[in-house]
Amino acid sequence: MTFQKSIETCFKKYFVFKGRAKRSEFWWFFLFCIIASTVTALFDVVLFGYAWEQSGPMNAMFQIGVFIPSISVAARRLHDTNRSGWWQLLYLTIIGIILLIVWYASEGKKKKNKFGK
């Protein structure tokens, strides 16, 4: 999946927590969020005079806008590895973040699983 197709797919499936997402869909969207967050933060610094450490209005609006799609694509990515999307609650722990990154980076199941094809 390409960078642009990944972004389109994630926004089309804004509230879709069912199904599966390939590694490329998840990681391209993650990269988009990092790049766009940096750009909006830069705009906040340059245009509105916020400190780099502060979240200005543009960055805050962007973060709110991608919050749900980020959760939904992560849930679909976990489904591809035959895990429930509820495993994202591991973000609340330090060690859980490492485990989630490993699962996000691992190859999905080729065969049909309980979450779809």
Side-chain angles (χ1 to χ4, degrees):
M1 181 173 284
T2 65
F3 182 73
Q4 183 177 358
K5 184 68 175 168
S6 168
I7 297 165
E8 289 174 15
T9 302
C10 289
F11 281 116
K12 282 181 185 176
K13 295 182 176 183
Y14 204 93
F15 288 106
V16 177
F17 293 89
K18 295 180 180 180
R20 296 166 68 170
K22 297 179 181 179
R23 276 188 293 190
S24 59
E25 180 181 344
F26 175 82
W27 288 110
W28 282 126
F29 189 71
F30 182 79
L31 178 64
F32 163 73
C33 288
I34 296 294
I35 292 170
S37 181
T38 303
V39 169
T40 57
L42 186 61
F43 281 149
D44 283 335
V45 169
V46 173
L47 297 176
F48 301 113
Y50 283 84
W52 185 254
E53 298 82 22
Q54 293 176 321
S55 182
M58 292 186 74
N59 190 272
M61 286 188 297
F62 174 75
Q63 295 300 327
I64 291 168
V66 297
F67 181 71
I68 299 295
S70 297
I71 292 172
S72 66
V73 73
R76 292 192 311 270
R77 179 70 204 123
L78 287 170
H79 290 170
D80 195 44
T81 61
N82 206 21
R83 292 175 179 85
S84 170
W86 287 102
W87 280 106
Q88 291 181 77
L89 292 174
L90 288 175
Y91 275 124
L92 301 174
T93 67
I94 301 294
I95 195 73
I97 295 170
I98 297 166
L99 186 59
L100 283 168
I101 290 171
V102 169
W103 287 344
Y104 293 149
S106 65
E107 188 173 355
K109 306 297 180 197
K110 300 276 187 210
K111 297 180 182 179
K112 182 180 178 182
N113 64 21
K114 64 183 177 182
F115 301 105
K117 296 180 187 180

